[in-house]
Amino acid sequence: MATAEPNQDISRKARKLASTSVLPFAILLFAILVAVVLTVLAMAQRASEAADDRIRTMIQIALTEAVHDVARDVYAFSELERPVLGRNSVLESQKLDSYLERIRAIGDFDAVSVIDPRGQALHTAVRLVYGSETPDKRYGANLRWAAAQLRDNLLANPNPADTNLVGRHIFEDHQLRLIGGAWNARSDGPGFGIVAIRSMDDLALTRLGARLSISGLRLAEPAPRANQIVLDNAAGARLGAALIWTPERPGDPILNRLLPIAVSSGLAIMIFAWLAFAHVTRVTTSMLNSEAIAHHLAGHDTLSGLPNRLRFSEHLAGLLPRAVDGDGIAVLFIDLDKFKEVNDTYGHAAGDEVLVGCAQRMAAQLRASDVLARFGGDEFAVIQTGVKSALDAEVLARRIIESIRPAFQLGEAEAYVGASIGVALAPANGKDAAELMRLADIAMYRAKNEGRNRACFFEQRMDDTLRLRKVVEDDLRHAIARNELELHYQPQVSADGSKIVGIEALVRWRHPVHGLIPPIEFIGIAEERGLIIQLGEWVIRRACLDAKNWPDVSIACNVSAIQFRQTDFVQSVSNALTETGFDPTRLELELTESIVVANADQAEDSMMELRAMGVKLALDDFGTGYSSLIYLRRFAFDKIKLDKSFLDSLEDTGESAILVHSVVHLGRALGLTVTAEGVETQDQQRFLNAVGCHLLQGYLFSKPVPAAQMDRLMAMENPFAVVTDYAA
């Protein structure tokens, strides 16, 4: 049995749908998280850069102040030693060594030099810690720069009020040097200038950093970093060193708190995305699989897994446009025979097992291009392709019938079913899917009506018959309601033909278009469509009304099995008698053996009620069914009617004569009136009269006639005095 299972296409589609629904959301969450992290990082970076800028400004201010301190110290110390320098500095140069050395030592300078107004160094005192290097080589450029600056300032301002300070910081000889100078104006002359150099070693930088609350202040190689101040050399070129410090990271606490949150959030988003993806994939897979199963079930039978009527019709419609003579299509409708007996006897589970087994057996007879479907119940259908002639379809139908014929093993029991098959061909019978299926269905019912376990091909007369049945069904309902039916009556004559003892009412329908429709063509339809109850009640009521004109004779009406089994049947008969005022003892109801055998208890109860009312009962078609002495003794019949089939073979075989003789004597022995139907010859009359049959009915005396003609027969004193052979 085929079912729709999840497959790679469904899984792939589910993952794609999950990706399109979950991933954008997850990406959005990631984007938000990344944006937040980047924003915080940018803020932290800006905070760090701002901190570096603040420290850089502080250091630059501190260095500027340190340079000014050098200049102010030089000036202050020079003021203390002003007397040493006379009007003529040259003459007093012998005192400069000790003078400058004291200034250098007091000010903790590396070098001190005194200059004249022209910017020429008069003398220089140097800290002697540099080995063989000359003071000029080590400090000359720095001192000359300071001297030149003082000279330029003096030239720009020849009469300074007091001092004219200069200063800078540079990196020279792997040292950070603070250069400061001051011009000491003299009232008795142009004065003199003093310049000094003070180096800042690691200890000095550490102290400066401590004073400024800056950690890690030191000299290092310049690098692309924010926490540095690149120092110039004496020539003003930035190829010395950098003053660096340990940067403050005010954003670090934020980052330290943010990063774990960001990492955990990222992991949470990843886990959420994975779980959501897995959940959506699972749900989507389930939905797609359910949809696939629903789609499969919408087009397939749940028991056998075969295509159903809808899928069969769709497939047939797709194939028909290519159907041509010599390469056509056959549609086979298959209905299992006796399947209901299997269900009733062994149960529905066993019935399902037989259905699946039939489907497997039929499928084994088909080619890969053929299609087998189940429409429900015990109905199957086949599309046979590549049909060159009707013989191809006939061969396939025969193979299917033969494949189903063997027994089905149901545990220890065996079940047998057959198949009735109807066949329609395309393009011979048409190229419309719905029409071909309808025609195959018609042919299938024809096969069942003709004896089952066979195949019938659609013929146009079948459709004509079906259309007539449809007309009959539609118009019969209106005919009953409008009282458009009529009754014909056939007399029941005494065995010697001398008088009319009873009359049988037979319904007729004179259709305005199709003319007189015989009962055989509409009674069955009335039974199938539930119209027989209304029809039967109408017949009894109308027969009672007409028979009031024929006193001293009984009126017989046929009763169908469906009508008799109605719980209110006895009441409906009583109502008809009351409404018409007809004598119940003159009414005779004819029942067939199948009616009383089907539900003997109910039949017996109804018959007893009818006899209690005075209504007589006749067993019709006696000898054709389950006739037995038991039924005759149990049920309260007043009359038995010999079936016409006994008389048809009366002249051909002696056995029929013996049977008729036995039945007549049996009826008479039980006190029953015996009526023979279908009497058509005088020989039959003489034989029946001789064996003791009570009543005769047949064309020898009269065919069924309308009520008006029956009035004339009843008015005649001896209507059958001279009887001749009569053929209908």
Side-chain angles (χ1 to χ4, degrees):
M1 181 172 62
T3 56
E5 297 291 344
N7 51 42
Q8 293 183 354
D9 291 338
I10 289 179
S11 300
R12 190 181 305 111
K13 188 175 181 180
R15 289 194 295 270
K16 183 177 180 180
L17 290 175
S19 299
T20 56
S21 60
V22 173
L23 290 184
F25 184 65
I27 291 172
L28 177 61
L29 291 180
F30 268 114
I32 294 174
L33 179 62
V34 170
V36 171
V37 171
L38 291 178
T39 300
V40 174
L41 288 175
M43 293 173 62
Q45 181 66 23
R46 285 195 294 272
S48 299
E49 291 175 355
D52 288 334
D53 291 341
R54 178 180 57 80
I55 293 174
R56 184 179 294 104
T57 301
M58 291 171 57
I59 294 174
Q60 288 174 341
I61 292 173
L63 290 177
T64 300
E65 291 178 350
V67 169
H68 289 172
D69 288 345
V70 170
R72 284 191 292 269
D73 289 348
V74 169
Y75 179 77
F77 297 151
S78 66
E79 283 295 307
L80 294 175
E81 301 296 335
R82 180 186 290 271
V84 176
L85 296 174
R87 172 181 293 275
N88 189 347
S89 299
V90 177
L91 297 177
E92 300 177 1
S93 60
Q94 63 274 15
K95 301 179 180 180
L96 290 178
D97 282 339
S98 59
Y99 170 68
L100 294 178
E101 182 61 30
R102 284 197 303 275
I103 294 175
R104 190 202 64 74
I106 294 171
D108 193 21
F109 299 126
D110 292 332
V112 179
S113 180
V114 61
I115 60 174
D116 61 15
R118 294 172 307 196
Q120 300 296 321
L122 299 178
H123 202 73
T124 302
V126 181
R127 188 193 305 270
L128 300 177
V129 294
Y130 301 105
S132 61
E133 290 185 313
T134 63
D136 181 68
K137 182 177 180 182
R138 193 164 188 84
Y139 301 109
N142 301 151
L143 295 174
R144 284 193 291 274
W145 174 85
Q149 288 295 316
L150 285 175
R151 183 196 63 198
D152 292 343
N153 289 348
L154 183 62
L155 292 175
N157 185 17
N159 296 307
D162 187 5
T163 60
N164 195 345
L165 302 179
V166 296
R168 69 181 292 195
H169 63 273
I170 64 172
F171 179 79
E172 197 80 31
D173 293 333
H174 308 289
Q175 289 182 328
L176 174 62
R177 294 178 179 177
L178 304 178
I179 304 173
W183 187 263
N184 197 330
R186 300 284 297 272
S187 58
D188 55 351
F192 60 93
I194 296 180
V195 295
I197 299 173
R198 179 181 292 162
S199 297
M200 295 192 71
D201 54 15
D202 292 339
L203 180 59
L205 290 175
T206 301
R207 290 173 180 172
L208 177 62
R211 181 167 61 84
L212 298 177
S213 299
I214 301 172
S215 61
L217 188 62
R218 65 191 184 279
L219 291 173
E221 292 293 330
R225 60 171 66 128
N227 57 322
Q228 70 176 5
I229 298 175
V230 180
L231 303 174
D232 299 338
N233 61 8
R238 295 194 173 192
L239 43 82
L243 194 60
I244 67 172
W245 58 89
T246 302
E248 293 184 5
R249 310 291 296 180
D252 287 352
I254 299 176
L255 294 179
N256 292 336
R257 289 191 295 270
L258 174 66
L259 288 179
I261 296 174
V263 172
S264 60
S265 299
L267 291 175
I269 292 174
M270 292 176 63
I271 294 173
F272 166 78
W274 183 82
L275 292 176
F277 178 81
H279 176 71
V280 173
T281 300
R282 183 171 59 254
V283 171
T284 305
T285 300
S286 177
M287 292 176 59
L288 291 175
N289 188 49
S290 298
E291 181 181 348
I293 292 175
H295 184 267
H296 177 84
L297 294 178
H300 290 79
D301 170 53
T302 55
L303 176 64
S304 63
L306 297 175
N308 60 11
R309 182 184 293 270
L310 175 63
R311 185 59 57 85
F312 181 90
S313 177
E314 292 175 348
H315 193 74
L316 178 61
L319 292 175
L320 284 175
R322 299 191 295 272
V324 295
D325 291 330
D327 187 17
I329 292 173
V331 178
L332 289 75
F333 268 37
I334 306 162
D335 188 86
L336 301 183
D337 301 327
K338 299 182 180 180
F339 175 73
K340 185 177 183 302
E341 298 176 11
V342 176
N343 257 352
D344 294 342
T345 304
Y346 302 106
H348 289 284
D352 290 345
E353 186 177 343
V354 170
L355 288 174
V356 173
C358 287
Q360 293 171 348
R361 292 184 183 183
M362 286 187 280
Q365 310 306 316
L366 306 181
R367 300 167 301 174
S369 60
D370 299 335
V371 177
L372 174 63
R374 177 175 178 243
F375 289 173
D378 57 355
E379 295 182 353
F380 294 84
V382 170
I383 298 174
Q384 182 186 16
T385 59
V387 177
K388 296 180 174 57
S389 67
L391 180 61
D392 293 342
E394 183 179 352
V395 170
L396 176 59
R398 191 180 305 117
R399 289 205 311 266
I400 291 175
I401 292 173
E402 292 301 321
S403 70
I404 294 175
R405 192 187 305 275
F408 290 89
Q409 199 67 36
L410 303 175
E412 297 181 357
E414 291 183 342
Y416 293 87
V417 295
S420 296
I421 302 178
V423 184
L425 302 174
N429 299 133
K431 297 186 69 172
D432 178 75
E435 181 66 9
L436 278 175
M437 292 171 66
R438 186 183 72 85
L439 301 181
D441 194 39
I442 293 174
M444 184 265 291
Y445 276 103
R446 179 62 179 270
K448 295 185 78 70
N449 292 333
E450 290 185 353
R452 303 172 182 268
N453 206 36
R454 65 186 61 204
C456 281
F457 283 77
F458 171 78
E459 299 175 2
Q460 187 59 44
R461 60 185 178 85
M462 299 179 186
D463 195 27
D464 295 340
T465 301
L466 185 65
R467 294 181 188 278
L468 178 59
R469 287 174 60 87
K470 181 63 176 174
V471 170
V472 168
E473 177 185 344
D474 293 341
D475 293 352
L476 180 59
R477 191 182 310 272
H478 300 297
I480 297 173
R482 298 169 184 171
N483 202 29
E484 295 176 353
L485 300 173
E486 59 185 63
L487 290 182
H488 285 196
Y489 298 94
Q490 188 172 31
Q492 296 175 346
V493 184
S494 60
D496 60 2
S498 61
K499 63 177 180 178
I500 298 175
V501 178
I503 300 173
E504 181 178 1
L506 301 169
V507 67
R508 296 292 186 264
W509 181 17
R510 198 173 300 278
H511 194 277
V513 176
H514 301 283
L516 188 64
I517 300 177
I520 193 173
E521 293 188 8
F522 68 85
I523 294 296
I525 298 176
E527 290 180 333
E528 291 175 7
R529 303 308 180 189
L531 299 174
I532 193 64
I533 299 172
Q534 303 173 44
L535 178 59
E537 292 177 352
W538 181 88
V539 168
I540 293 175
R541 186 178 295 106
R542 183 58 182 269
C544 291
L545 286 173
D546 289 346
K548 292 177 69 175
N549 298 324
W550 310 316
D552 303 327
V553 296
S554 62
I555 185 72
C557 298
N558 290 283
V559 177
S560 76
I562 296 176
Q563 183 184 6
F564 184 75
R565 291 174 189 146
Q566 298 300 308
T567 57
D568 61 347
F569 171 69
V570 175
Q571 185 62 46
S572 68
V573 174
S574 177
N575 293 340
L577 292 171
T578 302
E579 292 174 9
T580 59
F582 191 71
D583 182 3
T585 61
R586 294 176 55 202
L587 177 62
E588 182 180 286
L589 300 180
E590 296 186 358
L591 309 176
T592 61
E593 296 175 62
S594 60
I595 295 177
V596 296
V597 171
N599 192 336
D601 292 337
Q602 180 186 353
E604 186 175 19
D605 293 341
S606 298
M607 292 171 68
M608 293 300 292
E609 293 181 30
L610 290 169
R611 283 185 62 84
M613 294 165 48
V615 176
K616 294 181 175 59
L617 300 171
L619 180 59
D620 197 11
D621 299 334
F622 183 78
T624 60
Y626 306 95
S627 303
S628 73
L629 185 59
I630 295 175
Y631 295 125
L632 292 178
R633 294 181 60 185
R634 177 177 180 181
F635 299 109
F637 287 110
D638 299 285
K639 178 190 293 187
I640 59 174
K641 298 185 70 174
L642 286 174
D643 187 73
K644 181 179 181 294
S645 59
F646 287 101
L647 301 183
D648 291 340
S649 58
L650 189 64
E651 298 176 358
D652 298 330
T653 64
E655 293 178 356
S656 295
I658 295 172
L659 286 175
V660 171
H661 183 273
S662 300
V663 171
V664 171
H665 277 271
L666 174 63
R668 294 179 69 92
L670 294 174
L672 303 177
T673 301
V674 180
T675 301
E677 294 182 293
V679 180
E680 297 181 355
T681 67
Q682 290 181 339
D683 289 339
Q684 292 173 347
Q685 178 196 9
R686 284 193 291 267
F687 172 78
L688 293 170
N689 188 24
V691 298
C693 190
H694 297 98
L695 300 177
L696 306 180
Q697 178 180 345
Y699 280 8
L700 177 64
F701 306 101
S702 174
K703 64 180 181 180
V705 296
Q709 191 171 343
M710 194 70 213
D711 288 340
R712 290 194 293 272
L713 286 175
M714 292 298 295
M716 297 172 64
E717 182 176 351
N718 191 359
F720 309 119
V722 180
V723 178
T724 58
D725 287 348
Y726 179 83

